[in-house]
């Protein structure tokens, strides 16, 4: 649900701004299909690999890129909180919290 919402909001923003069609010179339904595939691939790469070059306005865009990074950090802490609530990890939780703080701090530098 989260992934679909994130990709859906990204595509909706691209459509509303009139920036959905990619630069590949195609016409008709092929243009829409290629644009959809490329836009989803670019968004997934940007979210999971953190490619800074994709902040360009013709790709993901700066505001959407920053929003994606903040959501990624937030979901890390939400997942840790849910795992801690289940009580299944016990002593490992303190180590996971420590690692998440280190990773978050290193991402912000």
């Amino acid at each position: 649900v989260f992934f679909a919402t994130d990709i859906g909001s990204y595509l909706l923003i691209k459509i509303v701004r009139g920036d959905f069609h990619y630069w590949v010179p195609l016409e008709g339904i092929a243009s829409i299909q290629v644009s959809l595939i490329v836009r989803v691939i670019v968004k997934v790469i940007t979210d999971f690999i953190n490619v800074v070059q994709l902040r360009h306005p013709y790709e993901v865009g700066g505001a959407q890129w920053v929003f994606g990074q903040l959501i990624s950090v937030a979901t890390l802490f939400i997942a840790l909180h849910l795992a801690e609530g289940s009580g299944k990890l016990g002593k490992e939780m303190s180590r996971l919290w420590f690692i998440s703080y280190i990773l978050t701090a290193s991402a912000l530098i």
Side-chain angles (χ1 to χ4, degrees):
V1 172
F2 169 75
F3 183 71
T5 304
D6 188 35
I7 295 290
S9 67
Y10 166 70
L11 292 174
L12 182 64
I13 289 169
K14 285 291 187 186
I15 291 169
V16 168
R17 292 183 63 200
D19 191 30
F20 177 74
H21 289 283
Y22 209 64
W23 59 268
V24 179
L26 298 171
E27 294 181 14
I29 193 76
S31 173
I32 295 172
Q33 290 172 337
V34 168
S35 296
L36 179 66
I37 291 168
V38 171
R39 294 290 182 196
V40 169
I41 288 172
V42 166
K43 176 70 171 141
V44 170
I45 289 172
T46 303
D47 285 349
F48 290 105
I49 303 177
N50 196 13
V51 179
V52 179
Q53 289 84 354
L54 294 177
R55 290 182 300 168
H56 192 278
Y58 294 147
E59 296 298 339
V60 174
Q64 186 72 24
W65 185 81
V66 169
F67 179 71
Q69 300 310 307
L70 293 174
I71 291 296
S72 295
V73 171
T75 55
L76 169 66
F77 289 107
I78 290 169
L80 283 173
H81 180 70
L82 292 173
E84 189 174 44
S86 71
K88 294 180 180 178
L89 295 175
K91 294 180 183 178
E92 294 295 319
M93 282 310 301
S94 61
R95 186 178 313 164
L96 290 173
W97 280 108
F98 178 73
I99 291 170
S100 67
Y101 293 142
I102 296 296
L103 289 175
T104 302
S106 66
L108 296 176
I109 292 178

